[in-house]
Amino acid sequence: MFVRHLPGPLGVRLRRGYWRRRLGALGDGARIDEGVKIINPADVFIGSRCWIAADVLIGAGEPSLEGREVVRRENGGYSGGEGQVRLGDDVELALGAVISGSGGVEIGDNVSLGPGAKLFSASNHYRGPDGEPGVRSAAAGMRREPTQEIGRQALLIGPVVIEPEAFVGTQAVVLPGVTVGRRAWLGAGVIARRSIEAGRIVKPPDSG
């Protein structure tokens, strides 16, 4: 806890040594700021010259599937293993960004995630590809086990890929199975439910 929250250059140096021993890989010149939380660090691979800003959360590791109905979204652009989070070189994760990597997340070189941007490779709020007639859905934010009569939910898993030189804006959300193409730009607050082709600029709905 002391090393995680220590400010200043000393904190940066100590965290580099601390995380180098625990992560799957940590490239030269990478910087991890105070308050960063990494779950299952052995499944996290960070390239050279990356900047992980304060209060970023990276969750890795294979998901718990026991007793769960699982729906998978394939992503042919993903080259890692399930539960792995892989960052290329010169990646920036800005203040408070969140990566949920239980389905696998791969981020290419020279990618930036804006403050509060979120990548989700798994979701608990999914009722299966055809729905469940006659079964009511749980309210948003409620998790129910699939054996319960009300609010039965499946687990949706799909790798997320952010291709090189793309940008995911402030509070933008990328959902399971989505690829954000090379040099694509997601504006602030955009929710990417489907893959975004290379070079496309996606603006928030009310931005004009």
Side-chain angles (χ1 to χ4, degrees):
M1 290 295 293
F2 172 76
V3 172
R4 230 184 99 200
H5 294 281
L6 184 67
L10 176 60
V12 171
R13 290 197 300 272
L14 290 177
R15 279 188 294 275
R16 184 178 295 121
Y18 173 85
W19 287 118
R20 192 181 295 277
R21 293 191 298 273
R22 287 161 175 79
L23 293 169
L26 183 64
D28 293 338
R31 170 174 173 155
I32 299 177
D33 284 348
E34 57 266 31
V36 171
K37 185 174 183 179
I38 302 177
I39 300 169
N40 295 317
D43 290 315
V44 177
F45 303 83
I46 297 176
S48 298
R49 301 176 303 279
C50 293
W51 184 5
I52 315 300
D55 299 323
V56 165
L57 170 62
I58 301 174
E62 294 184 5
S64 174
L65 305 180
E66 185 177 357
R68 306 297 305 274
E69 177 188 354
V70 178
V71 177
R72 295 183 182 274
R73 282 186 181 165
E74 301 299 326
N75 189 332
Y78 180 65
S79 61
E82 191 162 272
Q84 292 183 347
V85 174
R86 293 184 169 273
L87 278 60
D89 296 334
D90 300 293
V91 171
E92 178 188 3
L93 306 183
L95 177 71
V98 174
I99 296 178
S100 174
S102 54
V105 171
E106 188 169 13
I107 298 177
D109 297 344
N110 296 296
V111 166
S112 291
L113 269 60
K118 299 173 178 63
L119 310 182
F120 293 108
S121 60
S123 171
N124 288 311
H125 303 292
Y126 192 78
R127 296 176 61 195
D130 302 315
E132 296 179 84
V135 178
R136 290 188 291 149
S137 177
M142 295 178 64
R143 176 176 177 177
R144 304 286 191 184
E145 294 300 326
T147 55
Q148 291 183 310
E149 181 180 354
I150 296 177
R152 194 154 49 226
Q153 300 289 327
L155 179 65
L156 173 63
I157 296 176
V160 167
V161 176
I162 312 297
E163 294 186 345
E165 301 177 41
F167 177 78
V168 180
T170 300
Q171 296 291 345
V173 177
V174 179
L175 295 179
V178 168
T179 291
V180 178
R182 180 182 291 266
R183 296 186 179 177
W185 183 284
L186 300 188
V190 167
I191 300 177
R193 296 179 174 87
R194 298 177 181 83
S195 293
I196 308 298
E197 59 266 27
R200 183 180 174 191
I201 298 174
V202 183
K203 299 179 181 179
D206 58 352
S207 63

